[in-house]
Amino acid sequence: MSFSDDYPFVFRQQIRSFRGEDRISQLPDAVLRHILSFVPTTKCVVRTCILSKRWKDIWASIPNLYFRDEEFSSSADFIAFVDRVLLHRGSSAIQKFHLHFNRYCAEDFSRVDSWISTAVRCNVVELVLSIGSGGQAMFELPLSLVTCKTLEVLRLMMSLFIINNVPTSGCFPSLKCFHLHFTDNYANYTAMRLFYFSVLEHFTIDGDPGPSLLDLNIFAPELKTLRIEFSSSNDMHKYYNIDIDAPDLEKLDLKVGSLSNFSLTDTKSLVEADIKLCFHPNEDYVQEDSVRRDTEFLAAISIVKYLSLSGSIYEACSVPAFDNLIKLRLVHFGGSHWWKTLMKLLERSPNLECLVIDHQIHPTRRQVEVEVIELDPEKEEEVIEHTGYEVSLIEVTKYTKVLNWIPPNSVPNCLLSHLKTISIRGFRGKGCNGYLDEMELTKYLLKNGRVLEKMIIYTPGAFRDTKEDIFNETSMIEWSSKVVQVEIIEKMFYGE
């Protein structure tokens, strides 16, 4: 059965009877193939074969193939279509091969394997595999993919897979961009052991591995950027073990529950690091091994010039010297001791020039104490008249003054000689939790910032007179810098 048999005869006749000059069909084959390469799915590309005899076989040499099983009523129809397309194309070169197959079962593994092998034989350059869960069966990526000499871009979006018998050399010899996305967080027993990427420049791992055994041991001498972002719950990180050896790494973007299962080696080229810790350390249950590995991780990134840290580290961690650091952004989501992390970093960053403090929490009223007292009988009639209720007791609310800030014994060197700009985002109102801590910290920075040139305070303006309160309180102390300009802006959202 030919592809043209899939479409009604009347429809073909209507197309042929279209009056007017067909300029598109007069274009060279190479131009037509280029145009069709932008069509989002191969199924739509194949339909062009009914336009005219001129178009009958153009689709068969299109370099980009996009297969999606959701376009078909059944997996059997999808499998048959992919087989027919690849058979009809023969050995034509493949630039991009995208396969989205989410309704497959374990019996389809061999078919998927053969499709990947065909793409490899046709010198595929970009390969995207989005494969759903086939029960609890493990899909093994073919060795031909690992040793493919033309593959430059690889995206794997799947849950249950493994790569076995990975050679210690010749692994992905031309791969420059690798994106590994985990799906189906209920799956388990995922395993992956990768050893050597000779020319890899960009590596991304994200998604939710769930309770999977994720074992990554990577040496990538030309890796420039590394992004790892897991959405797993706090107790899942214990299943992961990731070791990266990347002497040319320049940018690191890490969003995880804990640092304790990540190891970086030879990061002499690292310039920028963005670390987001989703779960804060419990100081009541400190594990020595976790503290040790956190300390080692901080030492591995201590060469950076730009650091963004979201969350807190263990108080027991030994913070290394960040001698190259010129810009620091600290993001916190509440808690009473976030400023300790800040002061540790300031003390160990002698050349810091720019500081950004980002409060990523919604302003809430300060903690209160509720005292129940007996109502004055003389006032009871007034209360009844005003509320309509008979009461003999009344609750009196008092704001508590919660202050956790403790100034350091000595002023960090960066405040005395290098820190020029400070931005405080999300500064809360006078009646909010944490207000006293952030106000005392702000006054401390103004009091000791000897070369400070500008401080910008962003406040959400959730409470009345916030700007006036901030200005009045900060003006009560003597500012160390004579040229500093303080600007207070009411703004709920702000850019980086």
Side-chain angles (χ1 to χ4, degrees):
M1 180 178 66
S2 66
F3 284 103
S4 59
D5 293 337
D6 294 338
Y7 302 93
F9 175 78
V10 175
F11 179 61
R12 299 199 302 272
Q13 288 296 104
Q14 290 175 342
I15 295 175
R16 291 167 184 162
S17 62
F18 180 80
R19 295 182 180 180
E21 185 179 2
D22 185 1
R23 295 183 179 180
I24 295 181
S25 295
Q26 296 176 9
L27 295 172
D29 287 0
V31 176
L32 293 178
R33 285 194 293 267
H34 181 71
I35 294 173
L36 290 178
S37 68
F38 293 99
V39 177
T41 68
T42 299
K43 185 177 182 181
C44 293
V45 171
V46 171
R47 287 174 176 170
T48 62
C49 69
I50 67 170
L51 296 177
S52 68
K53 291 182 179 180
R54 174 77 172 82
W55 288 83
K56 184 177 180 181
D57 295 317
I58 294 293
W59 69 269
S61 54
I62 301 302
N64 300 340
L65 300 177
Y66 306 101
F67 298 109
R68 297 180 178 275
D69 66 332
E70 62 264 25
E71 295 182 306
F72 296 83
S73 58
S74 67
S75 296
D77 291 342
F78 174 69
I79 292 172
F81 177 79
V82 177
D83 283 342
R84 288 161 60 193
V85 168
L86 295 180
L87 179 64
H88 200 80
R89 295 184 83 263
S91 59
S92 298
I94 296 177
Q95 178 76 17
K96 298 180 180 181
F97 186 89
H98 292 203
L99 175 65
H100 297 264
F101 194 7
N102 296 311
R103 294 180 295 176
Y104 84 106
C105 57
E107 289 74 17
D108 301 323
F109 281 173
S110 60
R111 189 75 72 181
V112 174
D113 188 288
S114 69
W115 296 340
I116 296 174
S117 299
T118 298
V120 171
R121 286 196 302 272
C122 293
N123 299 321
V124 64
V125 176
E126 177 178 309
L127 180 66
V128 176
L129 298 177
S130 177
I131 301 178
S133 174
Q136 292 297 312
M138 186 80 70
F139 178 68
E140 182 176 348
L141 293 176
L143 186 60
S144 62
L145 177 63
V146 179
T147 58
C148 180
K149 296 181 179 180
T150 58
L151 186 64
E152 297 181 5
V153 179
L154 176 62
R155 293 184 63 195
L156 299 178
M157 294 173 283
M158 53 210 325
S159 57
L160 296 168
F161 71 97
I162 189 171
I163 301 179
N164 279 325
N165 303 316
V166 180
T168 55
S169 62
C171 177
F172 296 106
S174 301
L175 191 64
K176 295 182 179 180
C177 299
F178 186 15
H179 183 183
L180 175 59
H181 177 76
F182 287 97
T183 61
D184 300 334
N185 59 9
Y186 53 83
N188 50 35
Y189 302 119
T190 301
M192 186 176 182
R193 295 175 178 87
L194 302 179
F195 296 99
Y196 185 77
F197 293 93
S198 58
V199 297
L200 187 66
E201 297 179 359
H202 309 285
F203 190 20
T204 297
I205 313 173
D206 57 17
D208 187 357
S212 304
L213 174 60
L214 179 60
D215 188 3
L216 286 171
N217 191 333
I218 297 173
F219 175 57
E222 297 188 17
L223 189 66
K224 303 298 182 185
T225 64
L226 173 62
R227 185 175 72 88
I228 301 176
E229 182 173 341
F230 289 150
S231 54
S232 306
S233 58
N234 190 25
D235 59 346
M236 291 294 102
H237 72 271
K238 62 186 177 183
Y239 295 102
Y240 315 149
N241 185 56
I242 299 179
D243 296 293
I244 308 289
D245 189 345
D248 280 357
L249 186 65
E250 297 176 357
K251 184 177 181 181
L252 173 64
D253 190 345
L254 190 63
K255 183 179 180 181
V256 293
S258 169
L259 295 175
S260 60
N261 289 73
F262 294 87
S263 176
L264 292 175
T265 305
D266 195 4
T267 54
K268 59 186 178 183
S269 302
L270 194 61
V271 176
E272 181 178 353
D274 187 352
I275 311 299
K276 302 179 182 70
L277 302 179
C278 303
F279 304 99
H280 306 294
N282 187 343
E283 297 294 345
D284 296 329
Y285 302 95
V286 178
Q287 298 181 355
E288 292 185 6
D289 185 62
S290 295
V291 173
R292 177 186 60 80
R293 296 201 64 174
D294 284 6
T295 300
E296 291 175 353
F297 183 88
L298 291 175
I301 66 171
S302 62
I303 197 172
V304 297
K305 292 183 178 180
Y306 311 96
L307 173 63
S308 176
L309 177 62
S310 300
S312 300
I313 57 176
Y314 282 108
E315 289 188 40
C317 281
S318 176
V319 177
F322 285 83
D323 292 332
N324 298 324
L325 191 64
I326 59 176
K327 182 177 180 179
L328 170 64
R329 177 174 179 246
L330 180 64
V331 183
H332 81 94
F333 303 89
S336 57
H337 300 292
W338 62 269
W339 56 268
K340 291 185 179 180
T341 298
L342 171 62
M343 295 312 300
K344 279 187 176 183
L345 290 170
L346 291 182
E347 291 170 357
R348 303 294 286 165
S349 307
N351 299 305
L352 188 69
E353 298 178 3
C354 178
L355 172 64
V356 178
I357 302 172
D358 204 336
H359 303 283
Q360 289 289 340
I361 53 177
H362 185 76
T364 55
R365 284 293 185 183
R366 194 186 308 161
Q367 294 176 344
V368 299
E369 293 178 349
V370 179
E371 180 182 359
V372 181
I373 63 173
E374 188 174 349
L375 187 67
D376 187 345
E378 296 182 359
K379 299 290 183 179
E380 187 170 349
E381 293 184 2
E382 296 181 11
V383 174
I384 294 174
E385 182 179 354
H386 179 70
T387 64
Y389 296 97
E390 293 187 10
V391 291
S392 57
L393 298 176
I394 187 171
E395 293 183 350
V396 178
T397 300
K398 298 180 180 179
Y399 287 115
T400 61
K401 295 184 177 181
V402 181
L403 181 62
N404 298 291
W405 163 259
I406 301 175
N409 295 327
S410 60
V411 180
N413 288 333
C414 63
L415 279 172
L416 301 175
S417 59
H418 285 81
L419 191 58
K420 296 178 180 179
T421 62
I422 298 176
S423 177
I424 303 177
R425 302 171 176 178
F427 197 103
R428 294 157 290 183
K430 195 170 185 178
C432 297
N433 287 316
Y435 170 79
L436 293 178
D437 286 324
E438 62 186 4
M439 176 52 71
E440 291 302 314
L441 173 61
T442 302
K443 292 192 291 186
Y444 177 85
L445 295 173
L446 286 170
K447 183 179 179 180
N448 295 284
R450 187 175 296 175
V451 297
L452 193 61
E453 297 176 358
K454 191 170 187 178
M455 175 183 284
I456 304 178
I457 301 175
Y458 295 92
T459 174
F463 300 99
R464 189 173 57 184
D465 301 329
T466 300
K467 290 179 62 174
E468 185 179 350
D469 290 338
I470 296 173
F471 181 78
N472 289 338
E473 289 207 41
T474 55
S475 299
M476 293 173 61
I477 55 124
E478 182 179 358
W479 299 351
S480 179
S481 172
K482 304 304 180 183
V483 298
V484 62
Q485 295 180 348
V486 178
E487 186 176 3
I488 304 172
I489 302 174
E490 286 191 354
K491 193 174 184 181
M492 182 64 73
F493 302 104
Y494 28 78
E496 291 297 324

